[in-house]
Amino acid sequence: MTTADAPTRRTFLVAGAGALAVPVLAACGAAEPAGAPTAGPTTGTAAGQTPLASLADLAPGTAVVVEPSPGEGVAVVRDEAGDVHGLSAVCTHRACLVAARGTELVCPCHGSTFSTADGAVLAGPATQPLAPVELRVEGEDVLLG
């Protein structure tokens, strides 16, 4: 092979770029058409959401803290009358996930305590209440929104 016949650096770069483009373009063509159903949790709910809690597991006067996604916590509260409401379970002091203890939500990091009734600060160092989270009940399932 002579020097004139040897592949150049440019030849390798162009060939490599072409080889990389094929899988990328193939992946683009694999997308589902607009309006096609997408895979998601199969929970039996109309919206396809995964329930945060079940009323059967949430007695009146109790709360449960769930983490629907990493770093995002929701306190699902069922008051004595049986009504359900939600609060952010992320402490307003240093963003630790609080834990449910009776009628209080307690931060394990620095001891802040919040009311399950309305998220009010009962003991610091937190100074801001927990934000409300909109929930809905469908049958026995408690869902976001």
Side-chain angles (χ1 to χ4, degrees):
M1 177 182 296
T2 67
T3 307
D5 296 332
T8 65
R9 180 174 168 209
R10 181 177 300 236
T11 304
F12 280 115
L13 291 174
V14 171
L20 288 175
V22 172
V24 170
L25 292 175
C28 291
E32 292 185 22
T38 57
T42 53
T43 62
T45 63
Q49 278 185 300
T50 302
L52 297 176
S54 172
L55 292 180
D57 299 329
L58 194 61
T62 63
V64 63
V65 173
V66 294
E67 198 171 1
S69 62
E72 179 185 324
V74 176
V76 179
V77 181
R78 191 166 187 193
D79 64 22
E80 292 294 339
D83 296 326
V84 175
H85 68 274
L87 296 166
S88 170
V90 178
C91 181
T92 57
H93 175 241
R94 295 283 182 186
C96 294
L97 202 61
V98 298
R101 289 198 194 138
T103 59
E104 298 176 345
L105 298 169
V106 180
C107 180
C109 295
H110 300 107
S112 293
T113 307
F114 304 89
S115 168
T116 56
D118 59 5
V121 177
L122 301 176
T127 59
Q128 298 296 311
L130 298 175
V133 173
E134 191 173 331
L135 301 178
R136 71 180 191 282
V137 177
E138 288 184 11
E140 287 290 305
D141 294 332
V142 180
L143 305 161
L144 283 173

